[in-house]
Amino acid sequence: MTAPAALRELLLRRITDVPDYPQPGVMFKDITPLLADPAAFGALTDAFADLCARHRADKVVGLEARGFILAAPVAVRAGVGFVPVRKAGKLPGETLGQSYELEYGTAEIEIHADALAPGDRVLVIDDVLATGGTADASLQLIRRAGAEVAGVAVLLELGFLAGRQRLEPGLKGAPLEALITV
């Protein structure tokens, strides 16, 4: 799904490019101006809440860290639960972890072991789909918890990084919804 033209334009006007961040040669997509604009942030929240309804999600998962900012208000608006997916070692209590490959090395994410129940339909929400590693690891965590993947929704997909192709096998037919693709 691509956002309707008016929504896409509203969101794009509030996303700024920051050259050479966090390292030379990278064009960072900064969403903080979008978050500061209540009309744009509200429209984004509504669009994601509509996806929750369309895909019959019972819970939303927000990926650390900007995914938290987007997913929490979506959960409230949609009337569903919110589950944070954190970097390893950040959650208290019993957790489920999933490691994944980075370009140079590995990383690990975790959820609370009791955050999802068998039969829960879970929509994963994040700001940007880049290479797809974190999103793919979250799909594995959701399924290991016994829940069902309702889909993945992102504000911005960086198509040139091929994250969609990496994520495709792990989606197992669940939709990947990018409001904007660049």
Side-chain angles (χ1 to χ4, degrees), residues 60-180:
V60 294
V61 157
L63 303 182
E64 188 166 332
R66 289 178 300 272
F68 297 172
I69 298 167
L70 302 182
V74 169
V76 171
R77 181 88 36 99
V80 300
F82 168 71
V83 176
V85 169
R86 304 269 342 241
K87 293 175 184 171
K90 300 291 185 179
L91 291 170
E94 188 179 346
T95 61
L96 294 176
Q98 182 66 49
S99 62
Y100 60 100
E101 297 293 321
L102 299 170
E103 188 174 353
Y104 301 103
T106 62
E108 185 174 357
I109 57 173
E110 296 178 332
I111 61 171
H112 278 121
D114 61 355
L116 300 173
D120 281 345
R121 289 185 50 81
V122 181
L123 181 67
V124 176
I125 295 179
D126 205 5
D127 64 329
V128 175
L129 175 63
T131 63
T134 307
D136 187 51
S138 74
L139 300 179
Q140 293 175 54
L141 271 178
I142 290 165
R143 290 192 176 103
R144 283 182 45 222
E148 180 181 341
V149 174
V152 175
V154 297
L155 166 60
L156 189 64
E157 178 181 355
L158 305 178
F160 58 91
L161 291 177
R164 183 176 289 268
Q165 289 78 12
R166 179 176 181 176
L167 204 53
E168 195 70 34
L171 286 167
K172 299 182 181 180
L176 168 56
E177 309 270 9
L179 299 180
I180 300 167

Side-chain angles (χ1 to χ4, degrees), residues 20-63:
D20 299 320
Y21 183 82
Q23 61 188 14
V26 173
M27 182 65 72
F28 184 79
K29 299 294 187 182
D30 184 9
I31 68 165
T32 56
L34 186 155
L35 300 173
D37 180 325
F41 193 14
L44 174 60
T45 300
D46 288 343
F48 281 154
D50 289 347
L51 291 175
C52 282
R54 184 179 326 143
H55 298 305
R56 302 179 333 275
D58 304 307
K59 293 192 177 154
V60 294
V61 157
L63 303 182

